[in-house]
């Protein structure tokens, strides 16, 4: 029989040299929040029967929307532990200070509590994304400058996928490891050690309905992915869920690329740098991949705003490099004017 390794055991056995319990415990905290959110999302289909968001439940409490619930759970599990100096969430306009009288810690947590939440009503997989930085400034309790760090400074990043099973996938810069939640035990068990993108990509993921909104270079690149321009693209199939964590996870397992390109009226695209693109970019490099905004590595972008967006190309290195070359117009395709 194969060994059963809980996430606690694994984190402890693989903690980086600089970890002094504080970091290790912060990862446990995130795993705990993931279990609570998984429990709640599994019951999402029952809201029609048990009460809608905004309605009052049987105890007289107002039901929360699931993304608000997820945001609140992560905050409440992490605010008082003394491990964080500040947090930032996609759900909140401003940074989230650690409330007095709680002790301030050395780490910064950025998170998208429930990405793709418009998919909840139609029972499609959704996810949580998180990144952990070291606090920059020891003088004060956490400030904006602690949060506005490039993804190259991340010390850990990961995501939780609430799908046919719940999976937590994370990296601390020593490979990417995946854990599946055993709902009976309430434990995340190691199921995917040392995850790596397959060399031969299976899928490209992009919302082709927006074709007319893209630049000619991006249009050509997508035609290349489809095998309709130039014949040297690997043969791939198309998959697009519209739920970043689910699309990313599938491509990590099978190989491929996810793109959310800039659009004529939305030059920064849709994906948020701090809560979505940055953590996944850090993680994909640990799995042998690469992420770019089409011109430079996502890891090199210095954020200037909390909710900054970025064009996003992530997956197998060769496919993302090719996107950069198309966007730089290095490639003249047959039929070019
Ligand atoms: P959200 O942060 O508001 O939930 O939106 C992000 C989601 C991603 O999960 C997904 O990749 C993208 O939006 C899909 O957008 P579109 O419907 O424009 O293709
Ligand atoms: Mg999101």
């Amino acid at each position: 029989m194969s060994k059963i390794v809980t996430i606690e055991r694994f984190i402890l056995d693989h903690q980086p040299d600089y970890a002094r319990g504080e970091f290790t415990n912060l990862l446990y905290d995130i795993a705990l929040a993931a279990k609570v959110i998984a429990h709640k999302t599994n019951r999402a289909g029952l809201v029609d029967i048990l009460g809608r968001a905004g309605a009052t439940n049987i105890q007289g409490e107002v039901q929360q929307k699931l993304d608000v619930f997820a945001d609140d759970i992560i905050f409440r599990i992490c605010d008082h532990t003394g491990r964080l100096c500040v947090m930032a969430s996609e759900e909140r306009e401003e940074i989230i200070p650690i409330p007095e009288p709680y002790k301030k810690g050395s780490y910064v947590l950025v998170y998208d509590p429930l990405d793709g939440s418009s998919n909840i009503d139609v029972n499609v997989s959704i996810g949580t994304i998180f990144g952990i930085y070291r606090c920059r400034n020891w003088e004060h309790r956490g400030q904006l400058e602690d949060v506005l760090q490039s993804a190259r400074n991340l010390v850990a990043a990961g995501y939780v996928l609430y799908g046919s099973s719940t999976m937590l996938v994370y990296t601390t810069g020593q490979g990417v490891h995946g854990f599946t939640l055993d709902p009976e035990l309430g434990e995340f068990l190691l199921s995917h050690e040392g995850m790596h993108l397959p060399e031969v990509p299976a899928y490209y993921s992009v919302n082709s309905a927006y074709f007319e909104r893209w630049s000619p270079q991006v249009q050509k690149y997508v035609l290349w992915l489809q095998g309709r321009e130039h014949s040297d693209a690997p043969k791939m199939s198309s998959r697009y869920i519209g739920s970043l964590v689910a699309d990313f996870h599938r491509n990590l397992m099978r190989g491929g690329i996810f793109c959310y390109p800039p659009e004529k009226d939305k030059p920064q695209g849709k994906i948020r740098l701090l809560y979505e693109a940055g953590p996944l970019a850090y993680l994909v490099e640990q799995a042998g991949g690469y992420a770019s905004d089409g011109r430079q590595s996502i890891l090199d972008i210095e954020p200037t705003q909390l909710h900054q967006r970025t064009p996003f190309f992530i997956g197998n290195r060769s496919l993302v490099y090719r996107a950069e070359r198309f966007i730089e117009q290095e490639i003249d395709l047959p039929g070019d004017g």
Side-chain angles (χ1 to χ4, degrees), residues 30-31 79 118 132 162 166 190-191 214 224 247 257 274 326:
I30 293 168
D79 69 340
S118 63
I132 300 172
Y162 310 100
T166 298
L190 180 64
S191 51
W214 302 330
W224 177 80
D247 278 313
I257 184 165
L274 274 174
F326 268 93

Side-chain angles (χ1 to χ4, degrees), residues 63-94:
Q63 300 268 320
Q64 278 179 313
K65 277 176 67 185
L66 267 180
D67 42 8
V68 178
F69 171 84
D71 176 72
D72 195 44
I73 278 295
I74 297 175
F75 167 73
R76 285 198 288 134
I77 285 180
C78 297
D79 69 340
H80 58 281
T81 56
R83 313 194 223 284
L84 294 175
C85 67
V86 66
M87 292 183 253
S89 159
E90 198 195 279
E91 281 290 319
R92 306 199 191 196
E93 225 160 287
E94 307 291 341

Side-chain angles (χ1 to χ4, degrees), residues 40-207:
K40 194 83 172 182
T41 51
N42 282 342
R43 297 174 58 81
L46 298 170
V47 287
D48 278 343
I49 303 163
L50 302 176
R52 282 203 161 278
T56 306
N57 70 13
I58 212 152
Q59 286 90 27
E61 297 158 338
V62 173
Q63 300 268 320
Q64 278 179 313
K65 277 176 67 185
L66 267 180
D67 42 8
V68 178
F69 171 84
D71 176 72
D72 195 44
I73 278 295
I74 297 175
F75 167 73
R76 285 198 288 134
I77 285 180
C78 297
D79 69 340
H80 58 281
T81 56
R83 313 194 223 284
L84 294 175
C85 67
V86 66
M87 292 183 253
S89 159
E90 198 195 279
E91 281 290 319
R92 306 199 191 196
E93 225 160 287
E94 307 291 341
I95 56 167
I96 314 167
I98 299 304
E100 303 272 5
Y102 301 134
K103 227 176 88 216
K104 148 182 151 31
S106 0
Y107 293 98
V108 176
L109 177 67
V110 292
Y111 60 96
D112 181 352
L114 212 52
D115 183 69
S117 49
S118 63
N119 287 312
I120 294 169
D121 285 350
V122 287
N123 214 347
V124 165
S125 302
I126 43 180
T128 298
I129 308 172
F130 65 90
I132 300 172
Y133 293 98
R134 278 201 199 83
C135 180
R136 261 180 170 160
N137 189 337
W138 275 97
E139 309 275 298
H140 314 271
R141 291 177 93 81
Q143 292 184 325
L144 188 59
E145 65 178 273
D146 294 304
V147 176
L148 296 182
Q149 300 196 47
S150 75
R152 217 171 266 291
N153 291 354
L154 283 163
V155 291
Y159 61 85
V160 186
L161 173 62
Y162 310 100
S164 43
S165 55
T166 298
M167 268 194 81
L168 190 154
V169 177
Y170 83 94
T171 182
T172 54
Q174 296 171 322
V176 177
H177 310 292
F179 300 80
T180 303
L181 182 64
D182 181 327
E184 316 257 287
L185 296 177
E187 280 283 6
F188 279 107
L189 304 178
L190 180 64
S191 51
H192 298 69
E193 190 169 5
M195 295 170 82
H196 215 266
L197 278 155
E199 226 158 89
V200 181
Y203 300 119
Y204 69 88
S205 311
V206 65
N207 191 339

Side-chain angles (χ1 to χ4, degrees), residues 90 112 115-117 207 210 240 242-244 258 260 270 276:
E90 198 195 279
D112 181 352
D115 183 69
S117 49
N207 191 339
Y210 303 155
Y240 190 79
S243 189
L244 178 58
F258 171 92
Y260 207 109
K270 179 177 186 187
E276 297 170 330

